[in-house]
Amino acid sequence: MPKRDAGEGDLALRAVLALLLLGVAWGLGRFLLLPRSSTGLGALVRDHLPESGVTNPVTAVLLDFRGYDTLLEIAVLTATLVGVWALGITPLVRQPASSAVLRGLDRIILPIVPLVAGYLLWVGASGTGGAFQAGAVLASGGVLHILAGHGWPRMLGGGGRLQIVIGLSVFLGVAVGLAIVGRGFLDYPRSGGPALMLAIELAATLSIGTILLGLFLGGRVEPEQAGDEEEGAMGPDDSERAR
Amino acid sequence: MSSGAIFALGGLGLVLIGLWALVLRAHLVRKVLALNVMGSGTFLVLVGSGAVDSSGGDPVPQAMVLTGIVVALSATALALSLVLRLARATGHPCLPEDRARLAAEHEEESRRD
């Protein structure tokens, strides 16, 4: 039986892997159970929180103290979309018929999505929230819209490129601008700091929503696939071969 | 055992499960899922050992995990795109050296159903 033949080498592989994993479990487990030897950075963050202009410590860390990491994170998102686009056309075929439940749900929820996203963006300054959460909500609204059978949003064809790059551009622009003006790279001023951060977050929210929606589509949207009202729009014919 | 330690150990368990599946499964989508599970386990370890505290918790590991979730999501999306492209190009959703193992996996599963 072919299963037995493939099983011979498999048994040795599984045994070695099991031993290795047990070793990792034992070592890391012991390490994780050690008592804490440092107090962490919580006190340091709380001491400097008034300087950041927001009251939520996580948002302050994300946007101010470790703003560089967030800048790189948006760059990673943008680069991922470029990579996904480079790999081919979206494999999804527009579904002409979807259930009435989905269509009704889409009609009810889609207007609420920008409201929730805007609220999440705003409340990030003082509570849990922020650009990434708001962008994810925007993207899920877009996914629901697509699943309800509305075809590809036209914005991802040509004009969507502005929305995709605006997050990274604004963030990078503010960062470099602050360096040019004489402060450090990403060193926010005391007075305009929260406004700058809100502007960055707004652009980032737009970008993240668009990028996540593009990642859901899984590929480029060709112009002939875009649009709501086309009948019989078919995806690439080789999407069937990927079995 | 503090609740943080429970989360951290749970995360360690997820990492081990994910690593096991990453090595032993032939289908590429399964490998991507295994990587996802490992990622979730890593986040749990970070949050459990750093951020769960009586005094509100350390916000830095929380921020790191937020960043990590987004990056893991992008990596998964790119990985799935690569898998799709590979499957279109070669006709098999697995690495070339794993084709025998994929067939064995299929056979084992169809026998189980």
Side-chain angles (χ1 to χ4, degrees):
Chain A
M1 283 159 51
K3 186 173 164 247
R4 282 290 160 242
D5 291 337
E8 284 305 323
D10 249 3
L11 195 55
L13 177 64
R14 281 170 201 241
V16 170
L17 187 61
L19 279 177
L20 279 175
L21 290 183
L22 278 175
V24 168
W26 182 79
L28 263 183
R30 283 197 50 188
F31 176 69
L32 288 175
L33 285 175
L34 289 177
R36 297 181 68 161
S37 56
S38 84
T39 50
L41 292 168
L44 195 62
V45 169
R46 267 186 292 274
D47 290 338
H48 291 272
L49 200 52
E51 295 174 16
S52 71
V54 295
T55 49
N56 182 19
V58 177
T59 304
V61 168
L62 271 179
L63 275 189
D64 192 0
F65 306 139
R66 299 299 316 172
Y68 187 51
D69 294 342
T70 309
L71 170 63
L72 290 180
E73 181 184 355
I74 298 189
V76 162
L77 267 181
T78 314
T80 305
L81 186 63
V82 171
V84 166
W85 275 7
L87 282 172
I89 306 175
T90 170
L92 296 176
V93 178
R94 185 171 78 89
Q95 311 158 53
S98 71
S99 78
V101 175
L102 267 180
R103 284 198 299 273
L105 190 66
D106 175 49
R107 218 170 320 183
I108 295 176
I109 286 197
L110 201 61
I112 303 179
V113 163
L115 266 179
V116 174
Y119 171 72
L120 279 177
L121 176 62
W122 183 256
V123 86
S126 53
T128 15
F132 289 98
Q133 290 86 329
V137 167
L138 277 182
S140 46
V143 167
L144 178 62
H145 197 59
I146 292 180
L147 288 180
H150 282 265
W152 314 137
R154 235 164 303 224
M155 64 181 188
L156 285 188
R161 300 189 181 193
L162 174 66
Q163 282 146 288
I164 290 169
V165 300
I166 194 173
L168 182 59
S169 318
V170 167
F171 210 148
L172 204 52
V174 168
V176 172
L178 284 172
I180 291 179
V181 160
R183 314 180 59 87
F185 183 78
L186 271 187
D187 192 3
Y188 298 111
R190 280 303 289 273
S191 52
L196 269 180
M197 283 200 277
L198 188 60
I200 290 177
E201 283 203 284
L202 192 56
T205 304
L206 262 180
S207 271
I208 291 165
T210 318
I211 289 175
L212 289 181
L213 190 56
L215 288 181
F216 166 74
L217 289 176
R220 294 190 305 272
V221 179
E222 293 302 301
E224 58 265 9
Q225 290 172 296
D228 270 313
E229 310 305 323
E230 291 161 24
E231 286 306 317
M234 285 292 294
D237 49 278
D238 55 351
S239 65
E240 303 295 310
R241 257 190 267 133
R243 287 281 177 263
Chain B
M1 204 184 300
S2 67
S3 59
I6 296 181
F7 289 141
L9 288 179
L12 176 63
L14 280 179
V15 169
L16 298 174
I17 293 174
L19 196 48
W20 175 270
L22 177 64
V23 172
L24 286 182
R25 297 292 165 241
H27 200 290
L28 280 176
V29 174
R30 283 217 171 99
K31 290 195 195 261
V32 172
L33 285 176
L35 277 174
N36 252 329
V37 169
M38 284 178 70
S40 300
T42 314
F43 301 146
L44 263 182
V45 168
L46 267 176
V47 164
S49 32
V52 176
D53 207 356
S54 51
S55 64
D58 191 351
V60 178
Q62 291 181 35
M64 286 170 62
V65 166
L66 274 177
T67 306
I69 291 176
V70 176
V71 172
L73 177 72
S74 330
T76 303
L78 191 56
L80 287 175
S81 261
L82 279 171
V83 168
L84 199 60
R85 183 60 188 252
L86 179 70
R88 277 181 189 167
T90 65
H92 298 270
C94 64
L95 297 173
E97 59 264 23
D98 281 336
R99 287 190 194 161
R101 266 209 289 171
L102 185 66
E105 251 175 46
H106 271 171
E107 201 184 306
E108 178 180 348
E109 267 166 35
S110 55
R111 197 173 312 128
R112 217 184 296 157
D113 289 339

